[in-house]
Structures are given as structure tokens and as C-alpha cells.
Amino acid sequence: AQSVTQLDSQVPVFEEAPVELRCNYSSSVSVYLFWYVQYPNQGLQLLLKYLSGSTLVKGINGFEAEFNKSQTSFHLRKPSVHISDTAEYFCAVSPQTGANNLFFGTGTRLTVIP
Amino acid sequence: NAGVMQNPRHLVRRRGQEARLRCSPMKGHSHVYWYRQLPEEGLKFMVYLQKENIIDESGMPKERFSAEFPKEGPSILRIQQVVRGDSAAYFCASSPDQTQFFGPGTRLTVL
């Protein structure tokens, strides 16, 4: 079975400051890892994904994440946030074999303060 | 290439009525997933379908809920005899491989 923990339910940060959103996972099998962003009353948009290869992955809107297998983490970072980054961010995993359904964390609400 | 389409975007039903949610996957995608998002929570997997087949329905309640993905037409998530606890956002995703692309969701409100 898989589970995802997002330790911070809310993260306030000032505009142009750096941010890190934490994600840890638990799985008995190898997984793919994803970060999605959800703006109010909208669907989920893929930010970035780790399938294989380099553990540092870059996504859209200046976000990046690093896969750390030993710590079972996939933290999301941005060096300088913008007001438009205010949204809900979800970390998710899917098993590499079988049905690739996603297991989501409970989300982190990022609020960028002007 | 149009994205994943869902309709209706908002649906209001009274207790005991039926709700039908539709999902048209992206062109070329043969895998469809349904998820439910309760208020202030993450998404929970419900069912995974390929054309004319249910592959994994382990996340779907055993009663009142059903899903299909016919050879022609959209995927349908059907909820019979809705109750207030069914009020949620229902998201559909489609994929060609390991990556899922989500639709805008259907927000179901049960009065």
C-alpha cells in the first residue's frame, strides 16, 4: 500500500521569498512521484514529475523538486514566489507496476503575502 | 488538443435522486480514472477504466456507485439515491502512460 504525508497544511510566505513544501511517502513498491497545483474551483494541473533518472526535476512556473530515496521524500521548492503562486499543492505517488492510480497527500495551502 | 472535459461543472441533486457525471478523455488517451475530493481533503481514488473494461474499482463504494467507459462516448460515473455525504468534487483524469491529466471537475451538491 502507498501513503503520502504533507506535513504542512498551510504555508504563508512573503512575495519574492523562497518556499519549500514538504512531502514524504511510504510504499512497499517502487513509485513514480508527482506534484500538482490546484487553483480555487479548478482542476489539478501537473507541476512536475519524477519517473526515473536525475533526482532533481524541474517543472513549470519555476518550481523544482528533489527525489530522496533514502528519506522517501519529494520536497517542492521555488527560489522566489509570486502572488500568482497562491494555491493548493498536492503531492502524489503511483506504483510503477499495475494500475497507475494516484495516492494523494492532503495538500498544502500556499499563501503568498504581498 | 482539447484537455480532459467534464460535464456538468456543477450539479445539484436532492437526496434520493440520481447523479450522472461525464468525462471525455484527451484524444488518444485510453485510460480513465475517477477521484473524489471531499471539502478540505486530498483526492481519493475511486475507479480506473479502459475502454469497455473496469480495471480497478477498489476505491469505489460497493453500493449506489457505478462507472463505465463505453466503446463510444464519454466515461460515466453514476451515483444512485444520492445522500448528503456524496457532496464533493469529482475529478476525472486520463492518461496515455504514467502521467495523468485532470479535468476541471464536477461539483456535486446534495440538498
Side-chain angles (χ1 to χ4, degrees), chain A residues 71-100:
Chain A
Q71 296 186 5
T72 59
S73 67
F74 191 53
H75 301 331
L76 181 70
R77 303 186 186 98
K78 186 170 181 176
S80 175
V81 295
H82 190 267
I83 295 289
S84 60
D85 292 324
T86 294
E88 191 87 19
Y89 291 80
F90 292 97
C91 180
V93 303
S94 71
Q96 292 189 8
T97 56
N100 295 117

Side-chain angles (χ1 to χ4, degrees), chain A residues 18 24 27 58 70-71 86 95 98 102:
Chain A
N24 289 85
S27 177
K58 295 189 183 296
S70 62
Q71 296 186 5
T86 294
L102 290 164

Side-chain angles (χ1 to χ4, degrees), chain B:
Chain B
N1 189 4
V4 179
M5 298 173 66
Q6 290 187 249
N7 67 81
R9 294 290 306 275
H10 299 274
L11 183 61
V12 179
R13 285 288 178 267
R14 297 191 179 279
R15 281 178 296 170
Q17 292 184 317
E18 178 180 287
R20 279 184 181 241
L21 289 62
R22 297 176 197 79
C23 168
S24 296
M26 290 177 71
K27 187 176 181 180
H29 291 190
S30 59
H31 306 263
V32 167
Y33 302 78
W34 285 94
Y35 295 84
R36 177 165 62 176
Q37 184 180 33
L38 295 170
E40 307 301 321
E41 293 187 15
L43 280 72
K44 294 284 196 289
F45 166 75
M46 297 181 74
V47 61
Y48 163 41
L49 310 101
Q50 293 181 16
K51 282 288 187 182
E52 299 184 275
N53 288 305
I54 295 175
I55 308 301
D56 182 352
E57 56 182 347
S58 58
M60 199 153 68
K62 294 289 186 288
E63 297 178 355
R64 301 189 298 107
F65 286 74
S66 62
E68 63 177 8
F69 189 15
K71 188 176 180 181
E72 302 290 338
S75 175
I76 306 285
L77 179 67
R78 182 182 177 206
I79 312 173
Q80 296 178 288
Q81 299 174 343
V82 296
V83 300
R84 287 216 173 112
D86 296 332
S87 293
Y90 292 83
F91 291 95
C92 165
S94 73
S95 73
D97 49 34
Q98 308 93 343
T99 305
Q100 295 181 27
F101 297 88
F102 283 79
T106 293
R107 279 159 182 81
L108 172 66
T109 302
V110 179
L111 302 177

